Amino acid sequence: MNWIEQVTILDLLLKGLIIGIVVSAPLGPVGVLCIQRTLNKGRWFGFVTGVGAALSDICYALITGYGMSFMDELILKHHIFLQVVGIMLLAFGIYTFRSNPVKSLRPSSGTRGTYLHNFVTAFFVTLSNPLIIFLFIGLFARFSFVMPGSPIGFQLVGYLAIILGALGWWFSITYFVNKVRSRFNLRGIWVLNRIIGVVVMIAAVVGIVLAIAGKSFS
C-alpha cells in the first residue's frame, strides 16, 4: 500500500467517524431513551441501547450507500450538485435545534430487563424511522463518502468507521450522563439537544459555502 492510499483510507475513516457521530447525536426518541435508561437502570443499559440504535443506523447506511452506488455517473459529472444536497443537513440542524426531546420522555419501566431486551427495543425504535435515509444521503453527498469504483474492502472500512463513530458517541454520552446523574435534569436534555443542533447547522453552512466555492470536504 503506497502513501497516497494510506492517506485516502485515513481520510475515509475520519469521514465515517464524523458521519456516525452526526447521525447518532441528535436526541430523538432513541437518544432520550438512552439517557432515561442510563439514569434509571445504569450506564451499561444506556450503552447497549445506543448499540442497538447504531446497528439500525448502519443498516440504513448500507441501504443508502447501495442505492447511491447506482448513481456513479451522476456523482462523477455533477459532484458540486451533490455537495449542495448537503443543504438537507442545514434543515436537519434547524429541526434539531427547534425540537424538544423532552416530549419523547415516557414513564420508565419498573424492571431493568436484560441487556438483550434493551438492545432489541432500541434497534426497532430506530429502525421505525426510515427518514434517517435522507440524512445519510445528505451526509454521503456532503463528504463524498460513496466512491464510484472503489474496492469492497475500501468501502467496508468506511462503514466500519460509521459504526465506530456511533458507538463512540453512545459511549461518551452515557459516560457523561452517568457522571452528572445527580445534576442532570430535563433542562439538561433540552440544552444538550440545542448545542447539537447548532453544531450541525454550522457544519452545514460551512459545507454549503465550500460547495458554492467549488470545494468540498473531500
Side-chain angles (χ1 to χ4, degrees), residues 101-112:
V102 176
K103 294 180 179 179
S104 300
L105 285 171
R106 296 291 183 270
S108 58
S109 172
T111 58
R112 301 175 79 186

Side-chain angles (χ1 to χ4, degrees), residues 12 17 26 38 46 52 82 91 136 138 145 152 157 159 169 178 184 192:
L12 182 64
L17 288 171
T38 300
L82 284 182
F136 273 118
F145 188 78
I152 295 296
V157 169
Y159 290 113
W169 167 259
N178 188 59
F184 199 84
L192 181 59

Side-chain angles (χ1 to χ4, degrees), residues 1-13 154:
M1 179 182 296
N2 58 41
W3 181 82
I4 295 178
E5 289 175 328
Q6 291 178 359
V7 172
T8 303
I9 289 178
L10 290 176
D11 183 56
L12 182 64
L13 282 170
F154 197 73

Side-chain angles (χ1 to χ4, degrees), residues 12-100:
L12 182 64
L13 282 170
L14 179 60
K15 290 178 181 178
L17 288 171
I18 294 173
I19 290 173
I21 293 172
V22 171
V23 168
S24 303
L27 297 178
V30 73
V32 173
L33 183 63
C34 176
I35 291 176
Q36 269 190 298
R37 287 177 174 175
T38 300
L39 294 173
N40 298 329
K41 301 181 180 182
R43 180 190 175 190
W44 296 112
F45 281 93
F47 179 66
V48 297
T49 298
V51 174
L55 180 60
S56 180
D57 284 339
I58 199 62
C59 291
Y60 279 126
L62 290 168
I63 292 172
T64 304
Y66 181 73
M68 292 182 72
S69 68
F70 291 100
M71 302 167 63
D72 289 2
E73 187 174 349
L74 180 64
I75 292 173
L76 289 172
K77 292 186 177 181
H78 303 282
H79 180 69
I80 299 303
F81 169 76
L82 284 182
Q83 291 292 328
V84 177
V85 172
I87 198 171
M88 287 190 291
L89 295 182
L90 178 59
F92 181 74
I94 295 173
Y95 171 79
T96 301
F97 180 83
R98 291 173 57 86
S99 64
N100 184 2

